[in-house]
Structures are given as C-alpha cells and as structure tokens.
C-alpha cells in the first residue's frame, strides 16, 4: 500500500485501533499517501515517531448531554471533543451538531484540522467537537437547553489559551451565543473562548462570510496561476445552502460567476438565470426553511428531489459546500463529461478518493478542503487576536487579511507539491505544507516520559 515500511506499519496500527471508522481511516490514508516522499526523504520523522503520534489524538472527551424538551421529557445526547494536536497553538476547530456525528467523523475532522490550521500560518492547533443532537425542528428553547447542558461539561476542558471551539454544521450564531453565555456564567469570565460570536459581544466582522469568501479567493488564485483564468463568465454550482454555501455563492457572483444551483439534504434547485441569494438567505437564515421553497418563490426555477442530482447540472466550476463524501466517483465522471474546469471544496472531505482520482486524471483543477476552506478558521484566529487586544478591525481590514491568507495558502501548497515532484497536485501540496510546521514543532518539544 505504501512504499515506506514505516507508514505501512503506522497505518495498520491505525486500522487496528479504530476499527470500522471509515471517515477517519480515509482521512489518515490520504494524508499518509501525500507524506510518503517527505518521510522517505528525511529519516527524522520516523526516528522521532512523529507519524504514530500525529494519528493519535492527544485527548478525546466523550460525555452525556441531558436536557429537557418542550414536553418536559428528558432527552439524552452524546457530546464529543477531540483535542488532536496542540504542537503549534491552542486546540481550535468547530462543533458539529448533526445526527450523523460519531467518533469516526469527529476524528476525521479533528485530524484534518491540524493541517488546515497549520496552513493558515497562524498559531492554532487542531481539534473538533460536536454531538448527535439535531437542531432541525427544535424550538429555540430546546436548542438553548441543549447548548447549556453541552457547555456545562465542555467548559471544564476548554479556555481562551487551551481550546477555542467554533461553529460547523448545525452550529451557527444562535448556538454559539447560548454556549458562550453558559461558559461565562460558569467561569465568571468574559474571554474569547469561542469564535463565531455575535458582533455585539466579541465577534469579528467578516467571520460569517469567511469560509465561503475564502474558498472563492483560493479558487480565483488557482484559476489565475494555473490556467490564466478567473470566475468571470463561468457557470457555478454550489451544493448546500448553509453558512459556507451562501457566502461562497455571494463571492462567486461578485467575482463575475453565475451560480445556477444550490441544495440541502433533501434536494436541489436550478435557476438558469442565476440564484437570487436574498431569497435563499430569507429561507435559510431567517425562516430556517427548506431549499425547495426557492422554486415556489422564484419564477422559472426548478426543484429536484435528491441532493446528489445537483452534480448533473452542467457547470464550469463546482463548489461542494454541504458535507463529507457528497461527490462520489459517478458524480465526478458526470461533472467531467459536462466540462467542469475547476472544483473547490468548501465542505470538509466532500469528494471521495475515487472522485478526486477522476478529477486529477482528467486535468481538472482541484482545490482540496484543507487548503480551500481554511478561511473560516483563519478568520476565527483573527477573532481570537481581536479578543486578546480587546479591539476590533473593520470588515475591510479583516477581509483583506483573509484574502492575503488564502493567496498565501495557495502558493504554499503549490510550491510544496512542486518541490516534491508533484507539480499541480494541491492535495499533496496542502498535506505536505501543513505537516512540516507541525512535525518540526513536535520534534522540538520532545516526548513526555
Ligand atoms: P450549515 O449547517 O450552515 O449548512 C450545511 C448545509 O449542508 C445545509 O444546506 C445542509 O442541508 C447540507 N447538509 C448537511 N448534511 C448533509 C448531508 N448529509 N447530505 C446533504 N446535505 C447535507 O454548515 P456549514 O455551511 O457551516 O458547513 C458546511 C460544510 O463546510 C461542512 O463540511 C463543514 O465542516 C465545512 N466547513 C465549515 C466551516 C464554517 O466556517 N462554517 C469552516 C470550514 C469548513 P440540511 O439543512 O438539509 O441539513
């Protein structure tokens, strides 16, 4: 499987320790494949046991979350925080609230976060957390009671200089607000312990927009440097209709593209005239409704049941912004057949390894999640800086920093791939560039006996 006996041994151990955890194994395997030339070129990683340490979380916390629903019934969910690696800074990563949350998904997200955070150039370690709680269909009161109970336990393990969680699927401004309020009550301190906060209590301007905007800045730089092209005049398909999808659509449109389709977990809408984002925002951000309602409100728009169908819509640029493994091999083949030029991952690991292979074999520009969606966590780190300074930057200042960071990440990943003989392979480049800083810091900090 690997040319390196060392990597083979480490991967077999990961399989043994984490049986059946397919998302986690998929993420580890992809990273180890990319790191093979680096590990073969320099014996220090094996000598210092870096890879076997890297694939084992520093700490995993699993806890019961009990709360009372509107009918007075006790409900129980399971909470998680996986503190994966703190070599270059306090743990940092979002909280996912979705019924599919399990140890494999928590670990894959926490593992990927190590490299992504390193790529931003900012001092943040990797972590992820969440619960199998589903905020969909719950009242504000139920969401509040869940979040308070979740934070009552989590508060013991986090802190502004220890671990700083943020939003993810199912965790938006409302949930962060309830969690922040509970942390403050418990600890009697007002610190930047969470990011993605509301603007009236320590949030950063442009944080809400950051992941989607950052994705488009990355894809734009990739198009410019690798194809002398841009978003101008391109047809774009964006999956999902949550935080990342909405602001990716906004920026892609601003840069001259036309977004013609968006989705949720039930289905997708197609609007040949270009998606009217104010309608989507009203449905998703204000009413917490379904994307199907777009077609009921906008003349000429069509709704199709089934979310995977969105990849049959012909486009030049595809931006998957919903969830992991949403683009399978068959969808990738259809995208290629329909003439896609570039794929930019807004969601975490939205393309399966087979789908990525289809894109790479066909010369499609491919921007991997770790690099392309790092704008969210980068801006979260900027929120931490502003909280520490007790100061806030303007929208334009934060947006300019975000733009600079995304351009920097592209070039870092591009150069790392070239250095190791894989020119244009940004998957490998991102993994290598993210790895080196973390690995060298781990070596420098020694091993606790
Ligand atoms: P939201 O909860 O705001 O939106 C998620 C969107 O994806 C919704 O439209 C949702 O549809 C859809 N979706 C979720 N699960 C599935 C599924 N199993 N199948 C199909 N569609 C699904 O989350 P975000 O926009 O914040 O996150 C989207 C992705 O981006 C995730 O992979 C996340 O990890 C990643 N990401 C987010 C960052 C951020 O700053 N928020 C930063 C970096 C990465 P429905 O409403 O029907 O569930």
């Amino acid at each position: 499987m690997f040319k390196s006996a060392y990597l083979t041994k480490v991967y077999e151990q990961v399989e043994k320790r984490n049986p059946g955890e397919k998302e986690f194994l998929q993420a580890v395997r992809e990273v180890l494949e990319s790191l093979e030339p680096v590990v073969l070129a320099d014996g220090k990683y094996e000598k210092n046991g870096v890879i076997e340490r890297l694939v084992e979380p520093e700490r995993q916390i699993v806890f019961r979350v009990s709360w009372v629903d509107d009918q007075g019934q006790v409900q129980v969910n399971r909470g998680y925080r996986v503190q994966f690696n703190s070599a270059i800074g306090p743990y940092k990563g979002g909280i996912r609230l979705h019924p599919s949350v399990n140890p494999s998904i928590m670990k894959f997200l926490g593992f990927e976060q190590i490299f992504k955070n390193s790529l931003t150039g900012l001092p943040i370690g990797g972590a992820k957390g969440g619960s199998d709680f589903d905020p969909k269909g719950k009242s504000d009161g139920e969401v509040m009671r869940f979040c308070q109970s979740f934070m009552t336990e989590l508060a013991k393990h986090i802190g502004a200089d220890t671990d700083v969680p943020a939003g993810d699927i199912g965790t938006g401004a409302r949930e962060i607000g309830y969690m922040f309020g509970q942390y403050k009550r418990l600890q009697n301190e007002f610190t930047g312990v969470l990011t993605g906060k509301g603007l009236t209590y320590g949030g950063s301007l442009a944080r809400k927009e950051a992941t989607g905007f950052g994705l488009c800045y990355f894809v734009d730089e990739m198009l410019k440097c690798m194809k002398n092209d841009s978003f101008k005049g391109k047809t774009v398909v964006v999956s999902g209709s949550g935080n990342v999808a909405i602001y990716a659509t906004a920026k892609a449109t601003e840069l001259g593209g036309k977004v013609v389709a968006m989705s949720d977990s039930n289905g997708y809408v197609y609007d040949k005239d270009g998606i009217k984002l104010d309608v989507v925002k009203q449905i998703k951000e204000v009413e917490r409704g379904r994307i199907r309602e777009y077609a009921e409100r906008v003349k000429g728009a069509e709704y199709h049941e089934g979310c995977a169908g969105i990849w049959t819509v012909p486009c030049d640029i595809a931006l998957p912004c919903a969830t992991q493994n949403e683009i399978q091999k068959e969808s990738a083949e259809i995208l290629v057949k329909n003439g896609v030029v570039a794929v930019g991952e807004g969601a975490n690991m939205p393309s399966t390894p087979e789908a990525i292979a289809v894109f790479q074999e066909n010369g499609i520009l491919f921007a991997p999640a770790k690099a392309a969606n790092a704008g969210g966590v980068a801006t979260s780190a900027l929120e931490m800086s502003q909280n520490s300074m007790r100061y806030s930057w303007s929208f334009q200042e934060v947006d300019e920093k975000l733009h600079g960071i995304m351009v920097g990440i592209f070039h870092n990943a591009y150069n790392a791939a070239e250095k190791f003989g894989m020119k244009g392979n940004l998957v490998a480049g991102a993994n290598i560039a993210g790895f080196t800083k973390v690995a060298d810091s781990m070596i420098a900090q020694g091993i606790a006996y």
Side-chain angles (χ1 to χ4, degrees), residues 220 223 229-235 252 255-258 316-317:
D220 207 41
L223 284 165
D229 208 340
S230 75
F231 267 95
K232 258 199 198 85
K234 300 285 186 301
T235 300
L255 293 174
K258 182 164 84 169
D316 305 304
I317 300 174

Side-chain angles (χ1 to χ4, degrees), residues 281-354:
K281 281 184 170 176
Q282 175 66 25
I283 296 169
K284 299 305 268 191
E285 291 187 337
V286 181
E287 301 168 20
R288 296 182 188 275
R290 309 303 300 158
I291 200 69
R292 147 176 40 83
E293 294 160 44
Y294 182 91
E296 292 158 15
R297 296 182 198 186
V298 177
K299 229 173 122 209
E302 301 163 13
Y303 174 71
H304 299 267
E305 214 34 65
C307 50
I310 193 167
W311 306 120
T312 63
V313 176
C315 63
D316 305 304
I317 300 174
L319 302 178
C321 295
T323 194
Q324 65 272 0
N325 293 330
E326 55 170 308
I327 303 188
Q328 316 251 332
K329 183 167 183 254
E330 301 68 40
S331 298
E333 284 166 348
I334 296 171
L335 279 165
V336 170
K337 197 174 103 229
N338 286 339
V340 76
V341 174
V343 177
E345 296 190 318
N348 283 311
M349 207 167 77
S351 318
T352 63
E354 297 76 23

Side-chain angles (χ1 to χ4, degrees), residues 8-18 52:
T8 305
K9 191 184 78 189
V10 172
Y11 186 73
E12 281 170 4
Q13 181 66 31
V14 176
E15 280 184 312
K16 219 158 110 196
R17 271 213 183 113
N18 307 277
E52 49 269 60

Side-chain angles (χ1 to χ4, degrees), residues 154-189:
L154 189 66
K156 298 169 191 164
H157 312 284
I158 62 174
D161 293 315
T162 308
D163 182 357
V164 183
D168 190 68
I169 290 180
T171 306
R174 175 181 62 170
E175 291 74 17
I176 291 288
Y178 293 147
M179 290 182 197
F180 182 78
Q182 185 69 351
Y183 182 87
K184 190 163 61 65
R185 266 173 224 116
L186 291 167
Q187 311 291 35
N188 193 28
E189 58 180 36

Side-chain angles (χ1 to χ4, degrees), residues 423-437:
K423 191 171 173 180
N425 182 345
L426 298 176
V427 175
N431 287 333
I432 294 168
F435 165 76
T436 326
K437 190 167 123 189

Side-chain angles (χ1 to χ4, degrees), residues 96 136 168-170 207 211 241-244 265 290 322 347-348:
R96 177 172 293 191
K136 242 182 266 150
D168 190 68
I169 290 180
R207 172 60 188 93
T211 310
S241 46
N243 172 266
V244 180
S265 55
R290 309 303 300 158
N348 283 311

